[in-house]
Amino acid sequence: MKNVLLLSGKENSSRLFLGEAKRVAETRHLSLAFTASTVDDLTADMLAEQDLVLLAPQAADFVETAALHTQVPTALIPNDIYGWLNGQALVKFACKQLDLASMPA
């Protein structure tokens, strides 16, 4: 099981993706566990459990200031996925970032 954290700014917009990402991963029988957090709520313990952190566009600056990318692989959620809250595309993007086999159809 790979743990994927959706990290957003202070408003926790990543939670909007959470249910759909979990549903898609479960439906497709993928070994992905999604969670969501804000940059303010992020803890070292939470971060240590992650295999990948996907950043909402407004959280991108946090990566550099916190040197987050040196602790766990990170990727910025593309605007076309984030803007449309496309859970299926988000799961595909996570699979690609984790170098997993293509998401089953």
Side-chain angles (χ1 to χ4, degrees):
M1 181 71 68
K2 298 285 186 175
N3 294 316
V4 180
L5 176 65
L6 306 175
L7 189 64
S8 60
K10 297 179 185 295
E11 74 289 331
N12 207 3
S13 58
S14 291
R15 290 210 187 273
L16 298 172
F17 270 122
L18 190 58
E20 181 66 10
K22 285 181 176 183
R23 185 192 66 75
V24 170
E26 183 178 308
T27 301
R28 306 288 182 172
H29 305 289
L30 299 171
S31 294
L32 295 174
F34 286 91
T35 56
S37 180
T38 65
V39 294
D40 289 341
D41 295 333
L42 185 63
T43 65
D45 289 340
M46 184 187 305
L47 192 57
E49 297 172 352
Q50 304 309 315
D51 297 295
L52 175 65
V53 175
L54 295 179
L55 301 158
Q58 68 274 19
D61 291 339
F62 178 74
V63 175
E64 292 305 319
T65 59
L68 180 65
H69 60 283
T70 63
Q71 300 169 44
V72 65
T74 60
L76 182 63
I77 300 170
N79 284 330
D80 60 332
I81 295 173
Y82 189 82
W84 289 101
L85 295 175
N86 189 335
Q88 184 167 342
L90 180 73
V91 172
K92 285 182 181 180
F93 182 71
C95 287
K96 182 179 176 187
Q97 297 303 310
L98 290 166
D99 236 2
L100 299 176
S102 308
M103 187 172 88

